[in-house]
Amino acid sequence: MSATAANTFDIVILGGGSGGYACALRAAELGLSVALVEKGKLGGTCLHQGCIPTKALLHAAEIADTAREGQQFGVKTTFESVDMSGVNAYKDGVVGRLYKGLQGLVKSKSIEYVEGAGRLVATNTIEVAGRKLVGKNIVLATGSYAKSLPGLDITGRIMTSEQALFLDFVPARVVVLGGGVIGVEFASVFKSFGSEVTIIEALPRLVAAEDEAISKQLERSFRKRKINFKTGVKFSGVTQTGDVVNVTLESGDTIEADLLLVAVGRGPVTAGLGYEEAGVTVDRGFVLANEHLQTNIEGIYAVGDIVPGLQLAHRGFAQGIFVAEQIAGLNPPVIDEMGIPRVTYCDPEIASIGYTEAQAKAKFGEIETYDYSLGGNGKSQILQTQGFIKLVRQKDGPVVGVHMIGARMGEQVGEAQLIYNWEALPSDVAQLIHAHPTQNEALGEAHLALAGKPLHAHG
Ligand SMILES: Cc1cc2nc3c(=O)[nH]c(=O)nc-3n(C[C@H](O)[C@H](O)[C@H](O)COP(=O)(O)OP(=O)(O)OC[C@H]3O[C@@H](n4cnc5c(N)ncnc54)[C@H](O)[C@@H]3O)c2cc1C
């Protein structure tokens, strides 16, 4: 094979995270030649600094709470302490096994895996350490980084999720700056591990992207768990002396803590990578792409967190697969962003799909909603969890939003997404039989009630 042929591919993908590697795997399955360029670890943020390690921490947190709460179930347990070296060994073990599996998967397909930092040097070329990889198609998948605020340096006891994932101690007092998904998940972990936690959120409510009723219930639950939070309050500054941070708010309040976790969102990794020089339209760092994930330059696609929208791993997977199939000529159906399930894994868990009540009102005009309390659900009572399932439907039409909060509700999002994506009517779901006693049954009961034939529902 000539040097040119060895460096020419159907697709060259820049970034081996959720979006990039999913695209590579699907493209290889479809018989396309693929080069996948990754400067760090295959698997990207989700596997190494995101979804997987945080959910392992949240599981360890649940175990700590279970140990504390044994008495509630008549089981004599005592909670002693959290050993971070043990927690980290468990977490790293999970990540390590998945990493190994993923490396094997990529190796087993005929994917040219290129290690190193790449740059778009022409509309069809990525350069890595002097090697030019030419693609009939280019897929940009360089992901995102943890943002900070102007003048807020990430150093010492001021950290983002990236450093917080590798703590070797449990801080006694933590301030979490940001009450979005990452902020509330970490707040939940720290509280369960024994820290005193205060969340600072500039918006009027926690998890502000969720339905307002969900935020209210989360705030109620967090109050009960003695997780402090201040909403509608802006951060003004922080000083750090030794191992102590002093956080000042615009209200004039100050909070002393042993750690400040900055969780103010994630910005796209696109600067200095040649995108704009190649003519790719970028808006505030994000790569703009149409519903087929094509950028304004023919043959250049973008997937994952660099494309405006939900920054979720499964969105990246879906977009990567979509682009591979599109390039292979399969004409896949476009992805409905509202049809992507969203789960926040704090305690209690939040899971949702589709439109919030406010969004549905704005979009569809007349709507109906129904809140089914988990108080009427046997399994939720067994678990001693509180919460509800809120349904939003177009008046006399399909269900356009499902919003759930309570222990383990993330596991219910699978059926919720079928309901939303298949545009089911409440009566369609009401005729399906849900197993008793499961939490899944609560979804069935909510639809029974909205279809006008409630079973275990009050009012
Ligand atoms: C703390 C945390 C928790 C999260 N939890 C969840 C969750 O529970 N569920 C969920 O769905 N999502 C979660 N996410 C979000 C999820 O991790 C991202 O949406 C997902 O990783 C995005 O995939 P991506 O492929 O766009 O980018 P990334 O996963 O960031 O991958 C991009 C890759 O590109 C590489 N790269 C960048 N520049 C170059 C270059 N010049 N050359 C070569 N390689 C380059 C990077 O090294 C990286 O590996 C979480 C994120 C965080 C931070």
Side-chain angles (χ1 to χ4, degrees):
M1 207 190 299
S2 72
T4 322
N7 286 319
T8 303
F9 301 88
D10 292 320
I11 312 184
V12 179
I13 303 165
L14 186 59
S18 312
Y21 83 69
C23 185
L25 291 172
R26 183 68 182 125
E29 259 171 39
L30 291 168
L32 300 172
S33 60
V34 187
L36 178 62
V37 182
E38 171 55 54
K39 68 171 183 182
K41 284 186 176 167
L42 177 67
T45 305
C46 173
L47 179 52
H48 302 283
Q49 293 148 0
C51 327
I52 300 298
T54 51
K55 267 78 260 181
L57 290 183
L58 279 152
H59 185 62
E62 188 183 333
I63 304 280
D65 287 334
T66 305
R68 278 189 192 97
E69 292 160 7
Q71 293 285 5
Q72 208 175 311
F73 305 91
V75 180
K76 289 192 179 170
T77 54
T78 45
F79 170 75
E80 214 170 290
S81 66
V82 170
D83 161 26
M84 281 312 292
S85 63
V87 169
N88 285 327
Y90 149 68
K91 163 182 67 81
D92 297 343
V94 172
V95 172
R97 281 189 295 280
L98 290 171
Y99 183 37
K100 217 167 171 192
L102 183 60
Q103 285 173 307
L105 204 55
V106 166
K107 211 174 254 170
S108 71
K109 314 262 175 185
S110 47
I111 293 169
E112 175 90 0
Y113 185 67
V114 183
E115 286 180 272
R119 206 182 128 76
L120 186 67
V121 293
T123 54
N124 65 349
T125 309
I126 300 281
E127 186 173 324
V128 191
R131 181 177 172 194
K132 288 200 161 89
L133 303 163
V134 176
K136 287 185 199 137
N137 301 276
I138 298 283
V139 179
L140 307 176
T142 40
S144 61
Y145 67 94
K147 286 199 296 194
S148 184
L149 297 177
L152 179 54
D153 293 334
I154 304 303
T155 166
R157 292 295 181 97
I158 302 172
M159 48 184 82
T160 69
S161 61
E162 218 169 289
Q163 297 80 35
L165 277 171
F166 299 96
L167 283 184
D168 57 5
F169 65 100
V170 176
R173 300 160 303 171
V174 181
V175 172
V176 177
L177 185 55
V181 174
I182 294 176
V184 299
E185 286 188 354
F186 269 98
S188 194
V189 169
F190 281 129
K191 181 66 196 180
S192 301
F193 282 1
S195 311
E196 189 188 311
V197 181
T198 306
I199 306 171
I200 307 298
E201 171 57 59
L203 293 171
R205 55 190 171 97
L206 299 179
V207 290
E210 295 292 340
D211 190 279
E212 212 169 327
I214 294 286
S215 296
K216 275 204 186 114
Q217 178 66 27
L218 180 70
E219 291 176 1
R220 228 175 277 135
S221 303
F222 270 15
R223 254 182 231 116
K224 214 166 147 201
R225 290 189 62 196
K226 299 198 168 34
I227 295 176
N228 308 309
F229 56 89
K230 293 174 188 280
T231 51
V233 182
K234 282 199 176 131
F235 165 86
S236 126
V238 62
T239 56
Q240 193 170 182
T241 319
D243 285 343
V244 175
V245 292
N246 261 292
V247 180
T248 317
L249 307 179
E250 279 187 0
S251 59
D253 291 348
T254 59
I255 310 168
E256 191 180 279
D258 305 289
L259 192 151
L260 172 63
L261 176 74
V262 181
V264 293
R266 296 188 57 87
V269 175
T270 53
L273 299 181
Y275 297 178
E276 282 166 286
E277 291 91 321
V280 175
T281 303
V282 169
D283 178 25
R284 278 163 288 180
F286 287 96
V287 176
L288 300 187
N290 65 16
E291 60 177 10
H292 296 280
L293 301 164
Q294 288 159 330
T295 67
N296 60 311
I297 304 288
E298 212 190 319
I300 302 188
Y301 296 81
V303 298
D305 283 5
I306 59 170
V307 180
L310 292 168
Q311 292 177 316
L312 291 172
H314 44 285
R315 172 177 177 260
F317 295 147
Q319 291 183 332
I321 292 169
F322 176 94
V323 166
E325 293 186 349
Q326 165 107 346
I327 291 169
L330 298 187
N331 199 20
V334 298
I335 296 166
D336 169 12
E337 284 267 329
M338 292 308 279
I340 298 173
R342 311 169 290 253
V343 180
T344 305
Y345 299 84
C346 54
D347 175 23
E349 276 187 359
I350 298 167
S352 64
I353 185 125
Y355 296 82
T356 64
E357 180 175 348
Q359 289 168 335
K361 258 187 203 142
K363 181 159 173 83
F364 304 108
E366 266 199 283
I367 58 157
E368 285 173 82
T369 66
Y370 183 81
D371 287 11
Y372 181 78
S373 165
L374 294 184
N377 175 250
K379 181 69 190 208
S380 297
Q381 283 307 305
I382 290 165
L383 295 174
Q384 301 269 283
T385 190
Q386 290 170 348
F388 60 84
I389 294 179
K390 174 173 176 171
L391 302 180
V392 182
R393 76 180 294 196
Q394 281 184 59
K395 180 135 181 67
D396 301 324
V399 174
V400 294
V402 180
H403 307 276
M404 306 181 274
I405 184 164
R408 304 185 184 177
M409 292 315 279
E411 300 301 329
Q412 302 309 322
V413 86
E415 183 178 3
Q417 73 151 316
L418 297 183
I419 293 167
Y420 170 87
N421 284 296
W422 287 347
E423 300 176 8
L425 294 168
S427 54
D428 294 330
V429 185
Q431 68 182 353
L432 301 173
I433 299 167
H434 293 74
H436 177 76
T438 60
Q439 283 187 294
N440 180 241
E441 203 179 8
L443 254 181
E445 295 247 6
H447 287 84
L448 277 169
L450 194 54
K453 43 182 196 173
L455 182 59
H456 302 97
H458 295 278

